[in-house]
Amino acid sequence: MGVLNVTPDSFFDGGRYFDHEAAIAHGREMIAAGADIIDIGGESTRPGADPVREDEELRRVLPVVEALATSIRVSIDTMKPAVATAACRRGATLVNDVANHSAQAAAEAQAGLVVVHMRGTPKNMQDDPRYDDVVAEVFGALESAAAEARRLGVSEVYVDPGIGFGKTVEHNLQLLRLLPELVAQGVPVLVGTSRKSFLGRLAAPAEAAPLPPADRFEGSLATAVWAMAAGVAIVRVHDVAATVQAARLVGGDEPEQLGAARFSAAGVGR
Ligand code: HH2
């Protein structure tokens, strides 16, 4: 899944694809690089981000959804059910709502749904997040949310542990370590680590400043490989070409691949 943020303020690609023509061109580049899905968003969910008005979000995303949906599966990355509904009318077939407000909208549009774990809102989620047992709480909440989405009539559901959404570096690591257990719960898993801040902290030498988003490519690819080896169904990434190359090697169980499921069954992460 290639990330396409039609925003001025996303933490990595903000401002690069705010113009519709630039966004559509980048979408086409990611399709050419081998993306299976393009995830289009018009509101940043980075820590501390300000909300965007619905009319402005619609203005940002709808022309881009419409232009790309004729050639690729389009996912709409929104926290507003009305935006999800409008995007599905223009051709999106997957709803990716980190706030989990859009199950009903996805059901009505007969679209797929990504159920994401987030603690709080983007504005406050990184203000001292705490859990008794982050893995049990996140995996349990995802299982319930997936069941609720199915009860509402969504037939294609993915669960996402929400890396960076109300989590410390250690919480993110614990969730990534135990991804095979989330995969084993049986609902297909989506993971997004691409360019996120915990990678900048982990990759920087001790006492040094965290690496900025521009220098987090290696960590992004490493964690995408880790997630694919753990058996996740979708990785959400900015760097499509490199990740597709890695996916061709590790991402499945074809004879010429390394065999993600076999690796996962052998216990990666435990
Ligand atoms: N991460 C971001 C946005 N949407 N959706 C899912 N399902 N999972 C994620 O991990 C996820 C997501 C944040 O990344 P990005 O879109 O690059 O930045 P911004 O929110 O600043 O636009």
Side-chain angles (χ1 to χ4, degrees):
M1 171 185 274
V3 178
L4 183 52
N5 286 314
V6 194
T7 60
D9 59 342
S10 288
F11 78 93
F12 175 58
D13 59 357
R16 288 192 214 177
Y17 313 115
F18 196 38
D19 171 74
H20 287 151
E21 290 310 311
I24 293 163
H26 184 56
R28 295 209 170 108
E29 275 167 14
M30 291 194 285
I31 295 169
D36 294 315
I37 306 169
I38 304 292
D39 188 38
I40 299 173
E43 177 176 38
S44 172
T45 55
R46 74 184 191 289
D50 284 321
V52 173
R53 279 177 39 172
E54 185 178 306
D55 57 347
E56 170 60 9
E57 193 177 333
L58 289 167
R59 185 198 68 75
R60 292 179 184 181
V61 297
L62 289 185
V64 184
V65 169
E66 193 160 55
L68 295 177
T70 51
S71 28
I72 189 86
R73 182 166 202 194
V74 165
S75 157
I76 178 70
D77 185 355
T78 184
M79 294 185 284
K80 298 186 185 74
V83 173
T85 299
C88 289
R89 289 205 182 110
R90 304 287 186 103
T93 59
L94 187 60
V95 174
N96 176 27
D97 177 354
V98 300
N100 284 337
H101 294 145
S102 298
Q104 188 70 51
E108 281 163 14
Q110 295 189 310
L113 178 71
V114 184
V115 164
V116 187
H117 181 275
M118 176 165 67
R119 174 66 61 85
T121 65
K123 194 88 196 151
N124 65 19
M125 66 190 179
Q126 289 307 105
D127 301 347
D128 193 24
R130 285 165 196 252
Y131 302 83
D132 289 330
D133 179 342
V134 66
V135 170
E137 286 173 49
V138 170
F139 291 4
L142 289 175
E143 200 163 34
S144 315
E148 173 64 7
R150 273 203 218 85
R151 196 188 61 75
L152 289 169
V154 184
S155 53
E156 183 190 7
V157 181
Y158 299 86
V159 289
D160 177 344
I163 298 300
F165 286 97
K167 281 128 195 147
T168 62
V169 173
E170 184 51 35
H171 293 145
N172 291 327
L173 287 177
Q174 287 183 47
L175 291 165
L176 289 173
R177 260 182 219 123
L178 292 181
L179 271 182
E181 292 185 10
L182 182 59
V183 171
Q185 283 187 181
V187 184
V189 176
L190 183 153
V191 170
T193 57
S194 192
R195 306 273 177 174
K196 287 190 176 168
S197 68
F198 79 109
L199 298 173
R201 301 232 189 100
L202 292 169
E207 315 295 325
L211 301 182
D215 296 338
R216 299 176 193 159
F217 165 71
E218 293 82 352
S220 304
L221 189 60
T223 47
V225 167
W226 176 269
M228 290 188 283
V232 309
I234 302 176
V235 285
R236 181 184 182 278
V237 304
H238 299 91
D239 301 283
V240 169
T243 311
V244 166
Q245 231 183 77
R248 290 203 176 115
L249 181 66
V250 299
D253 283 319
E254 299 303 318
E256 72 278 12
Q257 295 183 302
L258 281 170
R262 283 189 294 278
F263 189 51
S264 169
V268 61
R270 286 191 186 78

